[in-house]
Amino acid sequence: MPRPGKNSHKLGDIVRQFGGHLIGKPDVTIENVATLAKAQHGQISFFANSKYLSELKATQASAVILSAKNQDLISLPRIVCDNPYAYFAKVSDLLNPKKKAIPGIHPTAVVDASTQVAKSAEIGPFVHIAQGAIIGENSIIHAGCRIGENVKIGTACCLYPNVVVYHECQIGNNAILHSGAIIGADGFGIAEENQIWIKIPQIGRVIIGNNVEIGASTTVDRGAIDDTVIEEGVKLDNQIQVGHNVRIGAHTAIAGCVAIAGSTVIGKHCKIGGASSIVGHIEIADYVNVSACTLITKSIEQKGAYTGAYPFSSHKEWLKNASHLRHLDDLAETIKLLEKKITDLERK
Amino acid sequence: MPRPGKNSHKLGDIVRQFGGHLIGKPDVTIENVATLAKAQHGQISFFANSKYLSELKATQASAVILSAKNQDLISLPRIVCDNPYAYFAKVSDLLNPKKKAIPGIHPTAVVDASTQVAKSAEIGPFVHIAQGAIIGENSIIHAGCRIGENVKIGTACCLYPNVVVYHECQIGNNAILHSGAIIGADGFGIAEENQIWIKIPQIGRVIIGNNVEIGASTTVDRGAIDDTVIEEGVKLDNQIQVGHNVRIGAHTAIAGCVAIAGSTVIGKHCKIGGASSIVGHIEIADYVNVSACTLITKSIEQKGAYTGAYPFSSHKEWLKNASHLRHLDDLAETIKLLEKKITDLERK
Amino acid sequence: MPRPGKNSHKLGDIVRQFGGHLIGKPDVTIENVATLAKAQHGQISFFANSKYLSELKATQASAVILSAKNQDLISLPRIVCDNPYAYFAKVSDLLNPKKKAIPGIHPTAVVDASTQVAKSAEIGPFVHIAQGAIIGENSIIHAGCRIGENVKIGTACCLYPNVVVYHECQIGNNAILHSGAIIGADGFGIAEENQIWIKIPQIGRVIIGNNVEIGASTTVDRGAIDDTVIEEGVKLDNQIQVGHNVRIGAHTAIAGCVAIAGSTVIGKHCKIGGASSIVGHIEIADYVNVSACTLITKSIEQKGAYTGAYPFSSHKEWLKNASHLRHLDDLAETIKLLEKKITDLERK
């Protein structure tokens, strides 16, 4: 069942807007995007991975976005461009524009008189906005969000239902926060005295730059003394934990379920694979890629790719192999000894 | 302190209802279930693991559920059956029936006029149900749940407090969603252009079959273009992340804190251990068991058990052994060299 | 920009209250705490890690907390004590006291008539408190919290927005629960019969002692039959999963993203590193430290430090080394064979 977008556009208009080279008639109407395999009449798809060649050849799409080297693989109407995936993102955004704020405060919302809520902002049911908070123009705060005292939220933000932003935190413009995201809860700051834990008040904030997206149930802790900082353009997937006083550099993307311990600094333009962990108090350079499920235990000073996952195998194979890990040092010692013995034998 | 169930039943009635063979008087009254160790008069327990033999022999339970091979271990009233644990599950459900919907919409709920909420459904305080949503007969939507536009929720579902279901998603009958579950947030779809991330609109849905349970704070992302699908009978524990366009086959059970990256297909009747991770764009066959804390990095075509965790040891031992992992290749080279030298020596 | 605390105190008063030895004038006024690097006039900092020696020497703080062995490193006013970090915690708490309850129930809250809410408690907007629940003196229940039937919450607790506590659970005094924490959702109890999962009703509770802190989006499941127990003084960071029937011993601290499977017992005074996992049905002794990202697969009977993480390296190095892990057993066999051959050669 084809899914209509909220707009439709002709191919010629699309190319005028986003560039690229159109092969085919400009008056083909595009109603939405689709995958090569499922596309139907009126839909546009993209080809960026040779694995999908057979789907490309068989596609029912009305047009395809692809790169110059692939432009002769099909005879359908097609847009030729340098970065088909990014081009596709823009076309999809054109056809599926994000929901605009419907200005106004829902009558069930509780908004303190001291707040500054922009007239163009949309405040949903059961939202609570505490003293001194500021909500920028065209922002949408969906049902059940909790905005703490003196929080600042920029323009054109979207907070999905049940997001919590603790007191004093700041969020830039064009942010998207998904449901269950918790911004500014206390960091894990405790001091041990006589075997009892004493809480250290967490008096820093969380400061989030422009164009940041934060996934569902991701938690970003407030700073212990200074602030936790998420720079502009950072994209965080779901269920990520960001400890207190972490700084994440601009345009870094982090996949789901990553754990980042306190006071660690991550560079700009990094890509961190899902379910990885990063210990506290270290620094990671710009342009570092970390593979999935890797524990980073010390600072990384050079850009590049880093990995540290144990390879899986059948359970039976694993049992045979993994038991040696507890004796690797003995194994290495044995090898050294053998080397010596062989040298002795060779001398004779 | 014994905990009374909400019903009481006689042993004879239980056996009439669920089968099995009763040894002992049928008019013994059972008020609730208990563990062997803590059971008291009026309570029924089960024995399914020989580790608990001494607890069985000492139990104060009024009756025990066990298998034929163990039926002579005690002289208490007992129900003999093939699968004592499953039998116990049914007896416990009989004695502790799930809460029934109390029909009606709480006066504080905000329910759009265009929705179809069954008359027998219970809608709790501060629930928001947006345009076009459908809530089936006998379903309970607890306090603070957010039901997005055009969402369909089947019959006899239970959404615990503060569940969020984004627009267009569909949930089958008899679903249980625990608090903090987020269904249908955007998948992590971003395209890089000039070192900036462009968001790809996530226009797919989440489609959930019948008899699915989803744990607390588990997140299931909506599809990027096509849908994310959870088939019938799937059981998801807490804090699981399901990426966009994942498909989880019927009757698969996944333990807590598992991360599943986008577009991966998991077969039917699989069991995935806690804290495991599964990379994107792979396929896992039916009847695959994955151990706890294992990273699955490529497709699994054969049913069976798979493992990939690093064995723990004392920190001191670990330090000695783990350092060799960064030099395993050198070690293997050394061994090859030694083999050659020995062959040379033997020839002499 | 210096951040004023909510109180100010003179150094002399601080030492009178918390002990330690003051070097310098007692009438220096302290308005808040700060890091050595960012401290300004009117702020007090601490020195507990020699890594920050240059920051100590350059600090603009009005006073510093340090130990006797370091007391001569600077000439600023300073408090000399045995445990500077714990001392700092107390001073920060003095200057940044936790928010006190403003007695009263917000008019939007839905509080069942059968509940007992202390007069001194603060109940925020959109809170739902179900039948029979008890809220102790001076506790704060922030916006959007859901308190189930017959829940007991002690005195001076703070539940941040959108916390959920399921029916029958109990929380001691002075608890702090951060947003998104879910207490008492069903454990993952399912029995397999004919390849279908049958749910086992989860009829236990969660019992939480005094002085416990629970982080954002941490989930603690209710017991299957008996209770899940968190003893006094336990500190749980964010996104931790505690399975049903787990017991966590007093004063144990657990860092973020740890997964603890059902029925496991963790001792007192343990420290569990972030992103670690602990399988079910095992026992961990008192005073055990587990490193980050370690999977504990069997009981630990001795106190001490335990580790099990795979060391990361550049992806290229990892590729070379990790491939051998699937052949470690062959490698070990080869070494044994070589040993035998060498012994044979040596004999000749």
Side-chain angles (χ1 to χ4, degrees):
Chain A
M1 113 216 90
R3 196 166 310 183
K6 287 180 180 140
N7 292 307
S8 75
H9 286 268
K10 293 195 185 299
L11 278 181
D13 297 336
I14 290 172
V15 171
R16 256 190 301 281
Q17 188 162 351
F18 298 125
H21 169 57
L22 175 63
I23 304 177
K25 294 189 178 165
D27 63 349
V28 172
T29 297
I30 300 299
E31 288 175 359
N32 209 347
V33 297
T35 54
L36 288 168
K38 298 210 174 165
Q40 300 185 13
H41 182 78
Q43 298 185 320
I44 190 166
S45 192
F46 73 103
F47 177 70
N49 183 339
S50 56
K51 188 176 156 186
Y52 295 103
L53 182 60
S54 62
E55 282 88 344
L56 174 67
K57 300 233 167 187
T59 191
Q60 299 294 310
S62 288
V64 174
I65 303 162
L66 36 55
S67 60
K69 68 175 179 193
N70 296 317
Q71 71 176 55
D72 296 330
L73 292 173
I74 48 167
S75 57
L76 287 174
R78 51 210 186 273
I79 298 173
V80 179
C81 62
D82 291 342
N83 187 341
Y85 192 45
Y87 198 104
F88 170 80
K90 294 177 201 169
V91 173
S92 182
D93 185 60
L94 179 73
L95 298 166
N96 302 282
K98 72 175 188 180
K99 186 181 171 298
K100 289 217 172 91
I102 300 168
I105 297 176
H106 194 277
T108 62
V110 170
V111 179
D112 191 85
S114 64
T115 60
Q116 297 174 48
V117 177
K119 282 209 173 138
S120 58
E122 173 181 347
I123 310 297
F126 314 121
V127 168
H128 179 222
I129 306 182
Q131 299 94 291
I134 298 173
I135 311 290
E137 297 290 344
N138 302 307
S139 283
I140 307 177
I141 312 294
H142 282 282
C145 289
R146 317 295 170 200
I147 310 299
E149 294 168 29
N150 302 318
V151 163
K152 289 187 193 169
I153 293 178
T155 61
C157 290
C158 176
L159 275 62
Y160 282 98
N162 290 3
V163 166
V164 178
V165 185
Y166 279 53
H167 55 283
E168 312 293 339
C169 294
Q170 299 187 2
I171 297 173
N173 303 327
N174 302 311
I176 300 172
L177 274 68
H178 283 283
S179 292
I182 313 286
I183 308 302
D186 284 349
F188 200 52
I190 49 178
E192 202 171 12
E193 189 183 49
N194 302 324
Q195 303 197 20
I196 301 290
W197 295 105
I198 304 174
K199 182 176 177 68
I200 296 164
Q202 303 290 297
I203 63 173
R205 303 166 299 175
V206 176
I207 306 295
I208 297 178
N210 296 331
N211 304 312
V212 168
E213 181 161 358
I214 293 184
S217 291
T218 281
T219 52
V220 182
D221 281 347
R222 66 194 309 108
I225 303 175
D226 300 329
D227 300 323
T228 302
V229 179
I230 313 283
E231 295 180 3
E232 63 165 335
V234 166
K235 308 296 176 186
L236 301 182
D237 195 1
N238 295 355
Q239 297 201 33
I240 292 167
Q241 153 66 0
V242 180
H244 52 186
N245 300 104
V246 164
R247 174 179 282 267
I248 301 179
H251 309 296
T252 280
I254 303 185
C257 305
V258 167
I260 306 167
S263 300
T264 276
V265 177
I266 298 177
K268 300 180 199 299
H269 301 288
C270 292
K271 296 169 189 168
I272 313 291
S276 287
S277 303
I278 304 178
V279 304
H281 297 272
I282 65 170
E283 294 198 24
I284 295 181
D286 298 344
Y287 298 100
V288 162
N289 292 358
V290 173
S291 300
C293 226
T294 291
L295 170 65
I296 301 297
T297 47
K298 54 184 181 184
S299 290
I300 295 179
E301 289 167 17
Q302 300 294 327
K303 70 177 180 180
Y306 297 84
T307 303
Y310 190 92
F312 83 99
S313 56
S314 75
H315 185 70
K316 204 173 140 189
E317 288 294 316
W318 176 83
L319 275 178
K320 274 203 316 193
N321 290 309
S323 61
H324 296 290
L325 291 172
R326 289 195 169 117
H327 307 286
L328 266 190
D329 195 52
D330 297 339
L331 220 68
E333 279 303 307
T334 303
I335 292 168
K336 264 192 207 161
L337 189 69
L338 293 183
E339 279 186 293
K340 193 178 164 302
K341 284 183 176 183
I342 289 169
T343 309
D344 289 351
L345 284 167
E346 286 173 333
R347 272 197 206 124
K348 284 179 192 170
Chain B
M1 111 217 92
R3 196 168 308 183
K6 286 178 179 142
N7 293 307
S8 75
H9 286 267
K10 293 196 185 299
L11 279 182
D13 297 336
I14 290 171
V15 172
R16 256 189 301 280
Q17 189 163 353
F18 299 125
H21 168 55
L22 174 64
I23 303 177
K25 293 188 178 166
D27 62 350
V28 173
T29 297
I30 300 299
E31 287 175 1
N32 209 347
V33 297
T35 54
L36 288 167
K38 298 211 174 164
Q40 300 186 11
H41 182 77
Q43 298 185 321
I44 191 167
S45 191
F46 73 103
F47 176 71
N49 184 338
S50 55
K51 188 176 157 187
Y52 294 103
L53 182 60
S54 61
E55 282 88 343
L56 174 68
K57 301 232 168 186
T59 190
Q60 298 295 308
S62 288
V64 174
I65 303 162
L66 37 56
S67 60
K69 68 174 179 194
N70 297 317
Q71 72 176 57
D72 297 331
L73 292 173
I74 48 166
S75 56
L76 286 175
R78 49 211 188 274
I79 296 173
V80 180
C81 63
D82 291 342
N83 187 339
Y85 192 44
Y87 198 104
F88 171 80
K90 294 177 202 170
V91 173
S92 183
D93 185 59
L94 179 72
L95 298 167
N96 302 283
K98 71 175 188 179
K99 187 180 171 295
K100 288 216 173 89
I102 299 168
I105 298 175
H106 194 277
T108 61
V110 170
V111 179
D112 191 84
S114 65
T115 60
Q116 297 173 46
V117 177
K119 282 208 174 138
S120 58
E122 174 182 347
I123 310 298
F126 313 121
V127 168
H128 179 224
I129 306 182
Q131 298 93 293
I134 298 174
I135 310 290
E137 298 289 346
N138 302 306
S139 283
I140 307 177
I141 312 295
H142 282 282
C145 288
R146 317 296 170 199
I147 310 298
E149 295 168 29
N150 303 319
V151 163
K152 288 185 192 170
I153 292 179
T155 60
C157 291
C158 176
L159 276 62
Y160 283 98
N162 289 5
V163 166
V164 178
V165 185
Y166 278 54
H167 55 284
E168 312 293 340
C169 294
Q170 299 187 2
I171 296 173
N173 303 325
N174 302 310
I176 301 171
L177 274 67
H178 283 282
S179 292
I182 313 286
I183 308 302
D186 284 350
F188 200 54
I190 49 177
E192 201 170 11
E193 190 183 50
N194 302 325
Q195 303 198 22
I196 301 290
W197 295 105
I198 305 174
K199 181 176 176 68
I200 296 164
Q202 302 291 297
I203 62 173
R205 304 164 299 175
V206 177
I207 306 297
I208 296 178
N210 296 329
N211 304 312
V212 167
E213 181 161 358
I214 294 184
S217 291
T218 281
T219 51
V220 182
D221 280 349
R222 67 193 311 110
I225 304 175
D226 300 328
D227 300 323
T228 302
V229 179
I230 313 284
E231 295 180 3
E232 61 164 338
V234 166
K235 307 297 174 185
L236 302 182
D237 195 2
N238 295 355
Q239 298 202 32
I240 292 167
Q241 153 66 1
V242 180
H244 52 184
N245 300 104
V246 165
R247 173 179 282 266
I248 301 180
H251 309 296
T252 280
I254 304 184
C257 305
V258 166
I260 306 168
S263 300
T264 277
V265 177
I266 297 177
K268 299 180 199 301
H269 301 289
C270 292
K271 295 169 189 168
I272 312 292
S276 286
S277 303
I278 304 179
V279 303
H281 297 273
I282 65 171
E283 293 197 24
I284 294 181
D286 298 344
Y287 298 100
V288 163
N289 291 358
V290 173
S291 300
C293 226
T294 290
L295 171 64
I296 301 297
T297 47
K298 55 184 179 183
S299 291
I300 295 179
E301 290 167 16
Q302 300 294 325
K303 69 177 181 180
Y306 297 84
T307 303
Y310 190 91
F312 84 98
S313 55
S314 76
H315 185 69
K316 204 174 140 189
E317 288 294 316
W318 177 83
L319 275 178
K320 275 203 316 192
N321 290 308
S323 60
H324 297 290
L325 291 173
R326 289 194 168 118
H327 307 286
L328 266 190
D329 194 52
D330 298 340
L331 219 67
E333 280 302 309
T334 303
I335 292 168
K336 264 192 208 161
L337 189 69
L338 292 184
E339 277 186 296
K340 194 178 163 305
K341 284 185 176 181
I342 288 170
T343 308
D344 290 352
L345 284 167
E346 285 174 331
R347 270 197 206 123
K348 283 178 195 169
Chain C
M1 111 217 93
R3 195 167 309 181
K6 288 183 178 135
N7 292 307
S8 76
H9 286 266
K10 294 198 184 296
L11 278 181
D13 297 336
I14 290 171
V15 172
R16 256 191 299 281
Q17 188 162 353
F18 299 125
H21 169 57
L22 176 64
I23 303 177
K25 293 191 179 164
D27 63 349
V28 173
T29 297
I30 300 299
E31 288 175 359
N32 209 347
V33 297
T35 54
L36 288 167
K38 299 210 173 165
Q40 300 187 11
H41 182 76
Q43 298 185 321
I44 190 168
S45 192
F46 72 103
F47 176 71
N49 184 340
S50 55
K51 188 175 157 187
Y52 295 103
L53 182 60
S54 62
E55 282 89 343
L56 174 68
K57 300 232 168 188
T59 191
Q60 298 295 309
S62 287
V64 174
I65 303 162
L66 38 54
S67 59
K69 68 174 179 198
N70 296 317
Q71 71 177 55
D72 296 331
L73 292 172
I74 48 168
S75 57
L76 286 174
R78 51 212 187 274
I79 297 172
V80 180
C81 62
D82 291 341
N83 188 341
Y85 192 44
Y87 198 106
F88 171 80
K90 293 177 203 171
V91 173
S92 182
D93 184 60
L94 179 73
L95 298 166
N96 302 282
K98 71 174 189 181
K99 186 179 170 300
K100 288 221 173 87
I102 299 168
I105 297 175
H106 195 276
T108 62
V110 170
V111 179
D112 191 84
S114 64
T115 61
Q116 298 174 46
V117 177
K119 283 209 173 137
S120 58
E122 173 181 348
I123 310 297
F126 314 120
V127 168
H128 179 221
I129 306 183
Q131 299 94 292
I134 298 173
I135 310 291
E137 298 289 346
N138 302 306
S139 283
I140 308 177
I141 313 294
H142 282 282
C145 289
R146 317 298 170 199
I147 310 298
E149 295 168 27
N150 303 317
V151 163
K152 288 186 193 168
I153 293 178
T155 60
C157 291
C158 176
L159 276 63
Y160 283 97
N162 289 5
V163 167
V164 179
V165 185
Y166 278 53
H167 55 284
E168 312 294 340
C169 295
Q170 299 187 2
I171 297 173
N173 302 326
N174 302 310
I176 300 171
L177 273 68
H178 284 282
S179 292
I182 313 286
I183 308 302
D186 284 350
F188 200 52
I190 49 177
E192 201 171 12
E193 190 183 49
N194 302 324
Q195 304 199 18
I196 301 291
W197 295 105
I198 304 174
K199 180 177 176 67
I200 296 164
Q202 303 290 297
I203 62 173
R205 304 165 298 176
V206 176
I207 306 296
I208 297 178
N210 295 330
N211 303 312
V212 168
E213 182 161 358
I214 294 184
S217 291
T218 281
T219 52
V220 182
D221 281 348
R222 67 194 310 110
I225 303 175
D226 300 329
D227 300 323
T228 303
V229 179
I230 312 285
E231 295 180 3
E232 61 166 335
V234 166
K235 308 296 176 185
L236 302 182
D237 195 1
N238 295 355
Q239 298 202 32
I240 292 168
Q241 153 67 1
V242 180
H244 53 184
N245 300 104
V246 165
R247 174 178 282 266
I248 302 180
H251 309 297
T252 280
I254 303 184
C257 305
V258 167
I260 306 168
S263 300
T264 277
V265 177
I266 298 177
K268 300 181 199 299
H269 301 288
C270 292
K271 296 169 190 169
I272 312 292
S276 286
S277 303
I278 303 179
V279 303
H281 298 273
I282 65 170
E283 293 198 25
I284 295 181
D286 298 343
Y287 298 101
V288 162
N289 292 359
V290 173
S291 300
C293 227
T294 291
L295 170 65
I296 300 297
T297 48
K298 54 185 180 183
S299 291
I300 296 179
E301 290 166 16
Q302 300 294 326
K303 69 177 180 179
Y306 297 84
T307 303
Y310 191 92
F312 83 99
S313 56
S314 76
H315 185 70
K316 203 173 141 189
E317 288 293 317
W318 176 83
L319 274 180
K320 273 203 318 191
N321 290 309
S323 61
H324 297 291
L325 290 173
R326 290 195 169 119
H327 307 285
L328 265 191
D329 194 53
D330 297 340
L331 219 69
E333 280 302 308
T334 304
I335 292 168
K336 264 193 207 161
L337 189 70
L338 293 183
E339 278 186 295
K340 194 180 164 303
K341 284 184 177 182
I342 289 171
T343 307
D344 290 350
L345 285 167
E346 286 175 332
R347 272 199 205 123
K348 284 178 193 169

